[in-house]
Amino acid sequence: MKTIKDVTIYDVAEALNISPSTVSRGLKDHPHIHKETKKKILAAAKEMGYQQNKFASSLRKRRTETIGVVVPKLNSYFMATVISGIEKVTNKHGYGLIISQSQESGKQETACVSTLFDSRVDGILISLAFDTKNLDHFDKLFNKDIPVVFFDRVADCQGCMSVIIDNYKAGYEATAHLIEQGCKRIIHLGGNLLRNVYSERFRGYRQALHDNGIEFNQKLVFISDLTEQSGREIMIRVLKTNLQPDGIFAANDASAVAAILEMQEAGVKVPDDIAVAGFNNEPVSQVIRPNLTTVNYPAREIGEIAATALIDKLNNSQSINYSTIVLKHSLIVRQSSLREN
Amino acid sequence: MKTIKDVTIYDVAEALNISPSTVSRGLKDHPHIHKETKKKILAAAKEMGYQQNKFASSLRKRRTETIGVVVPKLNSYFMATVISGIEKVTNKHGYGLIISQSQESGKQETACVSTLFDSRVDGILISLAFDTKNLDHFDKLFNKDIPVVFFDRVADCQGCMSVIIDNYKAGYEATAHLIEQGCKRIIHLGGNLLRNVYSERFRGYRQALHDNGIEFNQKLVFISDLTEQSGREIMIRVLKTNLQPDGIFAANDASAVAAILEMQEAGVKVPDDIAVAGFNNEPVSQVIRPNLTTVNYPAREIGEIAATALIDKLNNSQSINYSTIVLKHSLIVRQSSLREN
DNA sequence: GAAAAATATGCAACCGATTGCGTAATTTTT
DNA sequence: AAAAATTACGCAATCGGTTGCATATTTTTC
């Protein structure tokens, strides 16, 4: 066994002939320690290869300097980018990150939150699973005043923060744009309406129809898990009916792309027969021909801001308790919806 | 302040009128504890809402039950999928995960490893940055017998494990396939040759040329960072020269897709004028028209296996010390390289 | 120049789980 | 029935940093 003994503050204290408490305080720049003493401590610590033991510290301080993250799925461009943003911020502030996936299942989500709780994370960043119905699994956290920041797929709950975009407005804009291009029978490919992002986009869709004197038709709305698979299946079904859509507003790019591919195979022309708009501005939107009109979603910023908000809260519990941060989005118009006028 | 006191083994011990050590042992199924006693302990612990304090445990056991992960970039489909696989395994075994990004920089990588070391992770999973030149930054870990498992972008070092695919063979197969389709002047879009994955793919490319009596031409090789951006720029340059390529073997899908898009804009026909093969089988390969021929890379499996190997090593340090695990890949032939014969 | 205040350092009790060793109770062996 | 082995449990030290309070030293105040 090669378990080399680590250097502790006791070793440093002994080397300098001072007490461990002074070393501890010196290391963290405590105001009561003399400048010269601090210098000596820092120098000795460095030379001896001292390395703080975080457990001892956590044990005593009752803080782990670790943040838990729960996302529905890791392997989407959007989520990976959000996490990339989170990591950047937390890393800069010396926090560790524990990442887990709910796999779009409320049950799994409960398990993830529970595990993070058991790991005593200082706070949690979360985007809800498809079928999460209530927030009971957060009670443990609330009871212990562990802050929770929701991003993207958020929930109403008092005292916790949310980082989102205005999904209603974005849905409205996308739909209005399609209408402007002459669409009158617009299909909506939506996600589970339990989730704010999807219900809001849907609401925007309906309102845009209404404001432009188009009657809402429930038959044109398809709710699914928004996977490529589902997009294809729905499109196959649609093309067999006589719904005769002339536009599609999809709640994500994956299903929009799937729909386009399926239409092209069936000989339907995009955008002339059917114009399409997606959501998220994933890279694939610029690969598909015609390029996909979509809503730009500031993924990295969402991650950065959510993480910053959480850390802020942790460092300064009486900080401003804003409940919601809304980031800017923008409609990116590309060929998939642009018709010659 | 609402810092509610946690339930400890002392509380449980007191409630049952036994000693804390017995509670501790009972909780982890120690063989010296009576069955009935264990039952009582478990029941009481559950009822009282006992929750293990991992720091106290880590402090004493000198283990964190946490694994560090370093990847070049998080926001690629490939990496996100690998991590998804890692998370699945580590989560099942009760390990936490600390994820960090080197951003393809050796310097950043050193910082990441150092931070993970300071966090006392039990082991590390890593895929090397583009320009990592040596393994000095792992010395700390080696000195303390902290196991390191490399995946995808690996390095030679004694005593550590690697999880990869046979990149040489894959490169060979992709190139041979293009040759079979009649290509004679095949461009190679490669990555930094410091990294095994790219040098091996390149080696496969050369060998396939050689075995088919085609002379290697350095002018047809373009080394870059393999971003979409680079792919486009290189292609623009190529189309201005009189290199007259009739095939492209790209070391990843992103650059292959970029090349195709650029060619299509220039009126070059894929695959008839130039046939294309990529690498990784990212989702985008099935969106681009024509669909991209590529090498299927078992990303999730790589993550799962690397994590399993590491945990195995942690739980059983005298476990079999295989140095390398090679997973199966497969060439997926699609329209981008298929010509009418 | 004595009292008060400010500055600098040390003492020792934590935080909560783990574990080597000792002891008591029970069972097995001879 | 005595000795040995096994089983079940408790004692108390330990992991290493933190922090309230006490003490020592220096500076400021009147």
Side-chain angles (χ1 to χ4, degrees), chain B residues 107-306:
Chain B
K107 211 169 160 185
Q108 273 258 27
E109 183 177 292
T110 303
C112 289
V113 170
S114 191
T115 302
L116 291 175
F117 176 75
D118 288 346
S119 301
R120 318 243 172 169
V121 293
D122 291 341
I124 283 188
L125 296 169
I126 185 168
S127 185
L128 295 173
F130 253 140
D131 63 349
T132 296
K133 296 210 172 62
N134 60 54
L135 301 180
D136 293 352
H137 46 309
F138 293 105
D139 286 348
K140 285 187 199 174
L141 304 174
F142 297 153
N143 285 336
K144 289 187 76 177
D145 273 345
I146 297 172
V148 177
V149 175
F150 293 90
F151 61 92
D152 189 42
R153 308 231 202 117
V154 306
D156 251 341
C157 88
Q158 18 178 352
C160 39
M161 299 178 280
S162 297
V163 180
I164 50 172
I165 64 165
D166 190 337
N167 284 283
Y168 164 74
K169 200 172 160 202
Y172 187 100
E173 287 168 5
T175 310
H177 163 71
L178 291 174
I179 296 172
E180 227 171 76
Q181 296 296 311
C183 300
K184 299 211 181 304
R185 300 181 56 78
I186 304 174
I187 283 186
H188 176 51
L189 299 180
N192 194 321
L193 298 181
L194 276 172
R195 295 283 74 80
N196 65 303
V197 288
Y198 303 120
S199 62
E200 288 291 285
R201 287 168 202 178
F202 178 51
R203 199 162 65 82
Y205 160 81
R206 287 192 65 157
Q207 191 62 41
L209 293 183
H210 180 264
D211 289 357
N212 288 278
I214 300 176
E215 204 178 339
F216 170 69
N217 180 352
Q218 184 66 52
K219 285 187 182 158
L220 292 173
V221 176
F222 297 85
I223 302 297
S224 74
D225 59 7
L226 293 175
T227 57
E228 202 199 305
Q229 177 78 3
S230 302
R232 283 183 179 271
E233 286 169 8
I234 291 169
M235 215 51 221
I236 291 173
R237 264 191 289 143
V238 166
L239 293 174
K240 280 183 188 157
T241 65
N242 63 344
L243 281 174
Q244 301 188 311
D246 54 9
I248 298 179
F249 166 47
N252 75 358
D253 286 347
S255 58
V257 165
I260 292 178
L261 292 175
E262 208 54 59
M263 287 191 278
Q264 288 175 340
E265 250 161 58
V268 177
K269 282 188 183 135
V270 178
D272 294 330
D273 297 339
I274 301 183
V276 182
F279 213 107
N280 280 3
N281 194 25
E282 302 228 348
V284 71
S285 65
Q286 293 186 70
V287 169
I288 184 108
R289 287 291 145 95
N291 278 184
L292 182 64
T293 290
T294 187
V295 174
N296 185 46
Y297 212 144
R300 173 170 279 269
E301 285 74 16
I302 288 188
E304 290 182 6
I305 290 180

Side-chain angles (χ1 to χ4, degrees), chain A residues 206-223:
Chain A
R206 286 192 68 157
Q207 191 63 41
L209 293 182
H210 180 266
D211 289 358
N212 287 277
I214 300 177
E215 205 180 339
F216 170 69
N217 179 352
Q218 183 66 52
K219 284 187 182 157
L220 291 173
V221 176
F222 297 85
I223 301 297

Side-chain angles (χ1 to χ4, degrees), chain B residues 299-316:
Chain B
R300 173 170 279 269
E301 285 74 16
I302 288 188
E304 290 182 6
I305 290 180
T308 304
L310 180 57
I311 290 179
D312 218 61
K313 175 97 177 176
L314 288 174
N315 289 337
N316 185 5

Side-chain angles (χ1 to χ4, degrees), chain A residues 142-161:
Chain A
F142 297 153
N143 284 336
K144 289 186 74 179
D145 273 344
I146 296 172
V148 176
V149 175
F150 293 90
F151 61 92
D152 190 41
R153 307 227 201 122
V154 306
D156 252 340
C157 85
Q158 21 178 350
C160 40
M161 299 177 281

